Amino acid sequence: MTFRLLFLLLAMPVFSQVNYPKDYFKSPLDIPLSLSGSFGELRSNHFHTGLDFKTQQKQGLNVYASADGYVSRIKISTFGYGKAIYITHPNGYTTVYGHLKKASPTIEAYIRDNHYKEETYEIELFPKPGDLPVKQGEIIAFSGNSGGSGGPHLHFEFRDTQSEKPINPMLFGFDALIKDTKLPAVTTLMAYPVGENSSVNQSLQPITLNLSLQADGSYVSEKVAVNGKVGFGISAYDMFDFNYNKNGLFKVQSFLNGNPHFGYQFDTFAFDESRYINALLDFYRFKKMGVRIQRLFATNPYPLSLIKTNENFGVIDVKPNLTNNYRIEVSDFNNNKVIVNVPIQYSPIAPTIASNVKKTDYFLKAKNDNIYKKDNMSVFVPAETFYDDFYLNFDVKDDTLTFHDESVAVHNNFTVTIENNTFTPAEKEKMFIASLQGKRLSYNFTKIRDSVFTSYTKNLGKFVLAKDTTAPRISQVNIPEGKWLSKQNDLKLTISDNLSGIKSYSGYLNGKWILFEYDYKTKTIIHEFDEKFIAEGRNDLKVVVTDNVGNSTIFETHFFRSQKK
């Protein structure tokens, strides 16, 4: 009952309001602000936690401190925000600047010193208040495309310094810098029968409802004839002036007979809540059709603080001779609003469209621990790993374990175990539990004890034992052996692995560790020349790349370089 109780505690008729400082923070860029991503936008497995500012399709724009403060955190990672700087401000807030190309000279020197101190590219640093103070308007970095960025832009966010909760930057006055007079767009309205015996328009399956645009800009859906209980879902997006990006919504609120029924508003939330996006979405349609339907009801409540609802959690129990006036309001931050009216009536007519739920021998109850075992393979599912109960596809055949498919959302790790005593110790060192998609194998981190292989994963689908005995590949890009490279600014190589994936890499110049930055999007590692590490004349380079099961490749070459000008 944990989820239900938490959900009830969050059930409130109105959204809370906090007075955030409107004029304290300035823009981190000196160009007109244009968004490619909004706060709360629906992303893969998470809500977007800031604003994505376009940087004119290029890297290297000045990034400025939004207010006085000090650099309190620096994180350099291959994925996620890539190169990110965090500034703590004296008024209780922290600003975050992500996907950077590099930091300003003072901060970059601090970062570089720590790269060499720890001899690794990925680092996380927590400078003290006196180490890297900054003033409002001071250049702290240059915009880039690092980490999990799909193109050059600046990720910018606010956090409450104490709780670390991200906060919508629009609440700090950034709405005044981004013109928005456009209405949100509603693309899809869905009706969901709730419960095995409920039907909508004589269907036991969810149905898409036709929408008619009215003269006042609102929509009216086709009539919804319900026998039993029903919930609704909507797909919509927002747009800003001078911008064609389809961004996320700020607020969605439904009303039943004039009373608030189910809604959410993207002011703030906690990072550990973010994966509940998969409970909010119609996850099946997202995976199968690529459509993000936001469900305005919950059959199995979940603890997402954004949601405000009543005791029915957005579900409508349609009774004979009772009128139900249902309304959905979709709004952006500037209160540009679209209204959808849904006429609901009771219908005693029996359904003609059967349910598409495929019943199996296994029915998983999300609130319980579950264990499934066949032959030498098993899966243990802790309680609340999944959001909803469902019929599970589980089987073991031809040394392959099938544990459902990706159409169901997973919240926490479950455990896959395979026992096999036919391998030698040397063979087991190169083995792991792999996910199998068609003929493609992908790595799952695996623990091995005696003859037992164990993996903790959120990946559904097929699993097999796999062996990786092939070492990673290293290819030079601009390092022809024995050549003079005096006019080059860097060394580039590509690194890849065909199965278990790259775990680590290291580069050495003349026997000393040197920094190679890794861009996973291009599989390229790059070292920018530094006179401190370059010898006059001959230089010997060594690069070692290791995959996740310990296979290593060593690349060695030499080149010549003159530092004389």
Side-chain angles (χ1 to χ4, degrees):
M1 297 297 292
T2 306
F3 282 2
R4 183 179 179 90
L5 289 172
L6 282 170
F7 208 99
L8 279 169
L9 290 171
L10 298 173
M12 297 171 62
V14 296
F15 295 97
S16 60
Q17 296 294 323
V18 177
N19 292 321
Y20 295 99
K22 299 287 187 180
D23 301 313
Y24 188 90
F25 296 95
K26 305 299 182 184
S27 171
L29 297 171
D30 56 8
I31 59 173
L33 296 184
S34 179
L35 292 186
S36 60
S38 59
F39 185 84
E41 201 164 81
L42 309 179
R43 300 289 178 87
S44 179
N45 295 319
H46 70 283
F47 300 107
H48 191 229
T49 55
L51 299 179
D52 284 344
F53 294 133
K54 295 183 179 181
T55 55
Q56 302 174 338
Q57 298 181 336
K58 59 187 177 183
Q59 303 184 50
L61 300 187
N62 292 342
V63 176
Y64 301 93
S66 194
D68 291 359
Y70 71 95
V71 176
S72 56
R73 183 184 180 193
I74 299 167
K75 188 171 183 180
I76 312 294
S77 58
T78 302
F79 303 99
Y81 293 172
K83 298 180 180 181
I85 292 175
Y86 301 66
I87 297 176
T88 293
H89 306 282
N91 64 343
Y93 300 103
T94 295
T95 50
V96 184
Y97 313 75
H99 305 303
L100 303 171
K101 182 177 183 181
K102 63 169 51 181
S104 62
T106 299
I107 301 173
E108 187 70 18
Y110 180 91
I111 296 171
R112 192 173 181 82
D113 287 346
N114 281 277
H115 278 308
Y116 279 90
K117 180 181 178 181
E118 298 185 23
E119 294 192 352
T120 182
Y121 171 59
E122 293 197 324
I123 55 174
E124 187 170 14
L125 308 171
F126 297 92
K128 297 178 181 179
D131 291 343
L132 295 170
V134 295
K135 291 291 185 181
Q136 185 179 63
E138 178 182 338
I139 296 175
I140 59 166
F142 304 94
S143 66
N145 187 33
S146 60
S149 171
H153 73 279
L154 175 68
H155 174 87
F156 178 69
E157 70 181 61
F158 283 89
R159 296 185 186 181
D160 179 284
T161 300
Q162 186 172 2
S163 69
E164 296 189 347
K165 286 185 177 181
I167 306 169
N168 194 333
M170 295 297 196
L171 296 167
F172 293 87
F174 277 75
D175 58 316
L177 303 177
I178 307 165
K179 190 174 182 181
D180 182 8
T181 61
K182 294 183 178 180
L183 290 172
V186 176
T187 58
T188 308
L189 178 65
M190 297 284 299
Y192 296 82
V194 178
E196 286 190 8
N197 299 318
S198 295
S199 63
V200 177
N201 291 359
Q202 296 179 260
S203 173
L204 294 175
Q205 300 180 25
I207 62 170
T208 302
L209 300 173
N210 294 320
L211 295 173
S212 298
L213 180 62
Q214 307 300 295
D216 62 358
S218 67
Y219 290 89
V220 175
S221 83
E222 63 178 290
K223 289 184 179 180
V224 182
V226 181
N227 189 335
K229 297 180 179 180
V230 65
F232 293 91
I234 194 165
S235 176
Y237 61 87
D238 188 32
M239 295 182 70
F240 294 83
D241 293 14
F242 317 113
N243 194 331
Y244 295 99
N245 287 80
K246 296 179 179 180
N247 298 119
L249 304 170
F250 172 63
K251 182 179 180 179
V252 179
Q253 180 66 61
S254 67
F255 299 85
L256 183 63
N257 301 324
N259 297 313
H261 198 56
F262 188 101
Y264 44 91
Q265 177 173 303
F266 283 103
D267 290 332
T268 184
F269 56 89
F271 278 97
D272 59 6
E273 296 179 279
S274 197
R275 196 174 177 88
Y276 286 111
I277 184 176
N278 294 330
L280 174 67
L281 289 175
D282 180 339
F283 194 79
Y284 176 86
R285 279 173 175 73
F286 171 56
K287 280 297 182 180
K288 294 295 185 179
M289 307 169 195
V291 180
R292 288 184 168 95
I293 306 292
Q294 302 164 57
R295 297 194 299 181
L296 306 181
F297 68 99
T299 55
N300 194 7
Y302 47 93
L304 177 58
S305 62
L306 291 164
I307 293 174
K308 313 300 176 187
T309 186
N310 58 16
E311 67 277 5
N312 297 316
F313 310 111
V315 175
I316 303 169
D317 190 358
V318 181
K319 302 290 187 182
N321 304 319
L322 290 178
T323 301
N324 289 286
N325 296 311
Y326 187 73
R327 182 174 86 253
I328 304 170
E329 295 184 356
V330 178
S331 311
D332 63 23
F333 190 85
N334 289 336
N335 205 32
N336 299 305
K337 183 186 300 182
V338 173
I339 295 174
V340 180
N341 290 296
V342 185
I344 304 172
Q345 63 186 30
Y346 173 79
S347 172
I349 302 175
T352 58
I353 301 175
S355 171
N356 59 354
V357 174
K358 295 181 180 178
K359 295 186 177 181
T360 69
D361 294 334
Y362 304 95
F363 186 71
L364 186 148
K365 293 187 176 181
K367 296 296 185 183
N368 301 337
D369 289 346
N370 296 272
I371 188 165
Y372 305 91
K373 184 176 178 61
K374 184 178 179 181
D375 300 336
N376 62 325
M377 302 187 184
S378 65
V379 179
F380 172 67
V381 182
E384 299 178 349
T385 295
F386 296 94
Y387 303 114
D388 296 302
D389 303 343
F390 65 99
Y391 284 98
L392 172 73
N393 180 17
F394 170 79
D395 197 10
V396 174
K397 186 177 181 180
D398 299 329
D399 296 325
T400 300
L401 165 66
T402 299
F403 191 66
H404 213 71
D405 59 55
E406 64 174 9
S407 65
V408 174
V410 184
H411 191 76
N412 295 313
N413 287 332
F414 55 90
T415 305
V416 176
T417 301
I418 300 177
E419 296 185 36
N420 194 312
N421 58 7
T422 63
F423 300 105
T424 67
E427 287 177 314
K428 286 189 288 187
E429 287 181 359
K430 304 299 181 184
M431 298 184 68
F432 58 95
I433 295 177
S435 293
L436 176 63
Q437 294 179 305
K439 294 183 179 180
R440 189 173 71 88
L441 296 170
S442 56
Y443 176 80
N444 292 299
F445 176 76
T446 304
K447 293 183 177 180
I448 305 171
R449 184 174 181 180
D450 297 327
S451 60
V452 179
F453 298 78
T454 304
S455 181
Y456 305 93
T457 182
K458 294 185 180 74
N459 298 322
L460 293 172
K462 297 181 182 298
F463 298 90
V464 296
L465 280 181
K467 185 190 301 183
D468 182 3
T469 58
T470 304
R473 294 182 60 186
I474 306 175
S475 302
Q476 68 86 13
V477 176
N478 65 348
I479 319 172
E481 188 168 29
K483 300 295 184 179
W484 285 87
L485 307 182
S486 302
K487 295 183 179 181
Q488 284 186 199
N489 296 319
D490 55 38
L491 301 173
K492 294 180 182 177
L493 302 100
T494 59
I495 60 176
S496 61
D497 188 75
N498 71 336
L499 188 49
S500 65
I502 293 170
K503 181 179 181 180
S504 64
Y505 69 91
S506 294
Y508 303 88
L509 191 61
N510 304 318
K512 295 182 179 179
W513 185 90
I514 57 171
L515 174 65
F516 272 96
E517 298 189 2
Y518 180 42
D519 181 3
Y520 81 93
K521 297 186 286 289
T522 61
K523 300 180 180 180
T524 303
I525 58 172
I526 303 173
H527 168 73
E528 294 185 1
F529 282 126
D530 188 327
E531 292 184 7
K532 292 186 294 184
F533 302 100
I534 295 291
E536 184 70 22
R538 177 172 172 135
N539 288 267
D540 294 299
L541 176 67
K542 177 181 178 181
V543 175
V544 182
V545 180
T546 304
D547 66 19
N548 278 296
V549 295
N551 299 307
S552 291
T553 296
I554 298 175
F555 172 87
E556 293 183 289
T557 190
H558 72 278
F559 61 89
F560 296 89
R561 183 175 173 87
S562 176
Q563 303 294 90
K564 297 177 181 179
K565 296 181 180 180

